[in-house]
Structures are given as structure tokens and as C-alpha cells.
Amino acid sequence: MKLQTTRFGCLEVPEANIIYFPDGLIGFETYKRYVILSKKENAPLRWLQCVDEPELAFIIISPFLFKADYKPLVEKVDLSSLKIKDISEAEILSIVVVPDNPRDMVANLMAPVLINPKICIAKQVITKDNQYPARYRILDSFNQNRESAQVLSC
Amino acid sequence: MLILTRKLNESIMIGDVEVKVTSLKGDYVKLGIKAPREVPIHRKEIYDVIQKENIEAAQTKITDISDLSDLFKK
């Protein structure tokens, strides 16, 4: 299908790549369909581009890239809405805020995006414990964890 | 905003969601919530924090993240 985006122009995207968020993202509940865009296959930062609003896109990252021991506790009801039993079945992404100085970029570890890659259903979940912050400084810890990068599909 | 007065162990119903005052201690009120599993329940301040982060993330003026990816190289 053709995908209109503000940042990347008009793209051709296979419909199978569309990830459906039944609840949208928190604060963006009306937008439910996204695709993940990346120029290079293993780029650490990628885009979560809304299918239905050309301007709406979030920078995302695998939290394991900079926090290898990341283990969010998630409500069972969130897992069952993704049709999974355990969080290990999900692909986990964090939404990134990049300020004027990109070295200060932060990732939201408090509310990760969980994707069931088998059925391409996703949800932004609020973690149960207060163990992880909403603004985790990525580059401070990146250098200690660079061996643990994970490659995601979907 | 609708304001109702409730005593300890009294409830209100919001649709099919029950909210009950289960304990009172000084400034603290404990609420019990009985709701269908699919109804998300969050402390508002947590929800607000995440909403604010998402809005800030969506407002990025950045169009090319290739340069940023270089920050991840040693």
C-alpha cells in the first residue's frame, strides 16, 4: 500500500508490515496503525510511523541496546490483550525523546511498546513497578551494554 | 465535576466499574476498584507523565536519524 509521510515522502509499504495498536498510544488513542521504518537494517534508532497521519512519527529504540537487564513487569491483562502468555514472546521497544542536544536523548522505560510479532498487534503498556523511569538517559549507559544489541523483526 | 460524599466501605458505580472507599488514614484514602479486565486503571500522575513524554516525542523536528545513529558508535 502507499503510505504518505511528512518526513519521508510517499512510500510503498507491504500491508503485512502494519502493526495494529487497538488502544493507540497514550495521548494518541485515535491512531491505531503504524509501521516501523528504518534506512539501515540494524540502525539503533528507527521510526514508528503512523499510517493514518503523515506527520505523526516516533523515534524508537530497543531498550536492550542500552539496558541489557531491562525486565519490565507488566499486567497480565496487557499480555492477554496481545495474545501472549509471557513478555518474552513480545518484542519490546522504547519511545525516544531527542532534545536539541541529541546526546541528552532519553527513552521511556516506564511505558514500553510491546509487539506480538506473530500477529502484529501492539500496545504501549505501563509497567507495574516504579523501577524504570519515563526519561532514561540512553547514551550514559549505552557504552557499557553495546554487546547486547537485539535485532527486531515485524 | 460531579462530587459525591462517601463513607468508609461505601461505593460508587461508574458504568459497570465499582469504586469503593476501603480505608481512611489521615491524608490517605484507599480505593478498591472492581472493573472488567479490559478497563485500564492507572494513577493519573503516571498516565500524565507518559502522555507528556509521548507528546514531546511526537513533536520532534528531526527528519533524519542516520546522524544520531552515529552516536551509538564507539
Side-chain angles (χ1 to χ4, degrees), chain A residues 23-24 121:
Chain A
D23 304 326
I121 300 271

Side-chain angles (χ1 to χ4, degrees), chain B residues 10-12 17-23 30-35:
Chain B
E10 288 183 340
S11 299
I12 60 161
V17 176
E18 181 183 1
V19 182
K20 183 176 183 179
V21 180
T22 60
S23 100
K30 269 192 188 165
L31 301 173
I33 300 156
K34 216 183 262 177

